[in-house]
Amino acid sequence: MINKNSRIFIAGHNGMVGSAIFKKLISKGYKKIITATKKKLNLIDQKSTFNFLKKKKPDFVILAAAKVGGILANKNFKDKFIYENLQIQNNVIHGSHLASVKNLFLLGSSCIYPKLCKQPMKEKYLLTGELEKTNDAYSIAKIAGLKMCEFYSHVHKINYKTLMPPNLYGPNDNYDLNNSHFYPALLKKIYDAKKNNKKFLNVWGTGKARRELMFVEDFADAVIYFMKKKISQPYINIGTGKDYTIDWYANFLMKKMNAKLTIKYDRSKPDGMPKKCLDISIAKKYGYRPVNNFDRGFETTFKFFESITN
């Protein structure tokens, strides 16, 4: 059973999700958290990863490391997205097994579900339809990792599970417009437009695509909550269970930032999946209660954004 003295390795502790989990664990009194920077440990390197895991022998591994990006990056660098994510997952999952690690969480993504998936998206809808073309390389890698955890758990009688979050946002997010996700991209565009006295906000697609969004600190709380649960399913959705249009998010951010802009939608650019909302009924059966405070999430995120911008 995981306790405050358990050795917990967070792969990807400097990323948005990994850093949020790291801070939550520290604040909750977990004393033996194992981390390694990219310079110290390249998870794409099999030998280094295997040796690291054998040496550290963690009780629990949280695999938060991944190559991530928005529509443009996913579309333009499919080779890197599938190769690097498969390598990281294979090395950490198999390396953990070789090091006799009994517990592992792979952090998945809601984009693994079919493009035209029935809504809200239940776990059983996985692999029932064609994937969204703009992020299929990333999705295929994540599905492979999910199945790897499922098969290793079954064959070796270990506890390797996958938690599937929706779109996440928060401190340590990526604001590079060439490879960021929609929320940080909107935030930066609105900030820049206001700063430069622009009248218009250019947004990709139609604005009608719907997205479920979760504050990364709330997701980190959920990860720690499920670390203490005996999960029978190979993978479960963790989210808020609510979604809104891109247009809604753009207007929410403009209001928060006191920016009066006219939105221009670039319909030549893709929307991505038309709708992405997770069914979280299985998570709720374990006593999980979703949190979705956009105001608190925005304030914390914007404070971080200003700290790296000014």
Side-chain angles (χ1 to χ4, degrees):
M1 187 69 186
I2 300 304
N3 57 52
K4 300 289 170 73
N5 287 309
S6 297
R7 296 183 308 281
I8 302 166
F9 171 46
I10 305 174
H13 76 288
N14 279 329
M16 179 178 68
V17 183
S19 62
I21 295 168
F22 177 80
K23 286 173 189 169
K24 286 285 181 183
L25 286 168
I26 292 288
S27 70
K28 291 178 184 290
Y30 287 84
K31 299 175 177 70
K32 296 178 180 176
I33 303 169
I34 303 162
T35 60
T37 61
K38 272 185 185 177
K39 197 173 180 181
K40 185 181 173 185
L41 174 64
N42 179 5
L43 295 171
I44 294 173
D45 185 304
Q46 187 182 79
K47 189 178 177 183
S48 298
T49 306
F50 285 5
N51 288 340
F52 179 87
L53 288 162
K54 276 187 177 177
K55 183 183 175 184
K56 298 294 184 181
K57 292 197 175 300
D59 300 303
F60 206 115
V61 170
I62 298 171
L63 181 40
K67 181 171 181 60
V68 297
I71 288 179
L72 188 64
N74 271 282
K75 190 179 169 197
N76 292 344
F77 304 105
K78 289 181 186 247
D79 56 337
K80 288 187 173 68
F81 274 86
I82 196 161
Y83 172 73
E84 291 186 25
N85 284 310
L86 284 172
Q87 284 292 98
I88 291 167
Q89 290 166 183
N90 288 345
N91 292 343
V92 175
I93 295 167
H94 188 62
S96 294
H97 163 58
L98 293 177
S100 301
V101 176
K102 300 296 181 192
N103 303 286
L104 180 147
F105 276 171
L106 168 66
L107 305 184
S109 167
S110 59
C111 71
I112 65 171
Y113 289 108
K115 177 179 180 175
L116 302 177
C117 193
K118 187 178 173 183
Q119 302 287 322
M121 301 185 292
K122 295 179 185 286
E123 289 86 348
K124 67 181 182 181
Y125 297 158
L126 183 67
L127 296 174
T128 58
E130 194 175 345
L131 295 166
E132 161 59 37
K133 283 281 187 277
T134 56
N135 62 14
D136 54 359
Y138 177 79
S139 302
I140 289 165
K142 282 293 178 186
I143 293 168
L146 178 154
K147 285 296 178 184
M148 190 173 179
C149 287
E150 181 181 350
F151 300 149
Y152 271 52
S153 292
H154 177 71
V155 174
H156 302 292
K157 306 295 181 260
I158 49 182
N159 184 44
Y160 289 14
K161 308 292 183 181
T162 302
L163 303 182
M164 245 101 68
N167 281 76
L168 298 170
Y169 72 102
N172 287 325
D173 209 340
N174 174 14
Y175 296 93
D176 180 343
L177 295 180
N178 289 317
N179 54 23
S180 61
H181 287 105
F182 85 89
Y183 188 87
L186 282 175
L187 193 154
K188 180 168 171 52
K189 282 182 177 181
I190 294 165
Y191 179 88
D192 289 348
K194 184 183 176 183
K195 187 180 177 182
N196 297 314
N197 297 313
K198 302 283 186 186
K199 293 182 179 179
F200 299 101
L201 172 67
N202 293 308
V203 178
W204 277 27
T206 63
K208 294 176 183 176
R210 300 182 71 88
R211 292 292 178 267
E212 178 182 3
L213 193 66
M214 188 176 196
F215 184 39
V216 72
E217 290 181 16
D218 296 332
F219 179 67
D221 276 327
V223 171
I224 297 166
Y225 177 84
F226 280 99
M227 280 172 64
K228 301 176 209 166
K229 298 287 180 184
K230 190 170 174 57
I231 304 168
S232 55
Q233 293 84 358
Y235 46 94
I236 54 174
N237 294 333
I238 308 291
T240 65
K242 293 180 180 178
D243 64 348
Y244 303 88
T245 63
I246 299 297
D247 184 73
W248 184 93
Y249 287 113
N251 281 289
F252 168 82
L253 286 170
M254 283 194 291
K255 188 177 178 182
K256 279 288 179 189
M257 296 162 73
N258 196 25
K260 293 176 174 61
L261 303 165
T262 300
I263 302 175
K264 282 189 172 180
Y265 287 106
D266 184 352
R267 293 168 187 268
S268 70
K269 298 291 193 296
D271 269 332
M273 283 176 72
K275 184 174 167 69
K276 274 204 301 184
C277 187
L278 294 169
D279 185 301
I280 55 171
S281 54
I282 289 177
K284 283 182 173 179
K285 285 178 183 174
Y286 286 96
Y288 169 69
R289 292 293 172 264
V291 179
N292 195 26
N293 188 334
F294 280 129
D295 295 320
R296 181 176 68 87
F298 168 78
E299 283 155 20
T300 308
T301 304
F302 191 65
K303 201 172 177 180
F304 170 82
F305 173 76
E306 283 189 310
S307 75
I308 63 168
T309 305
N310 297 330

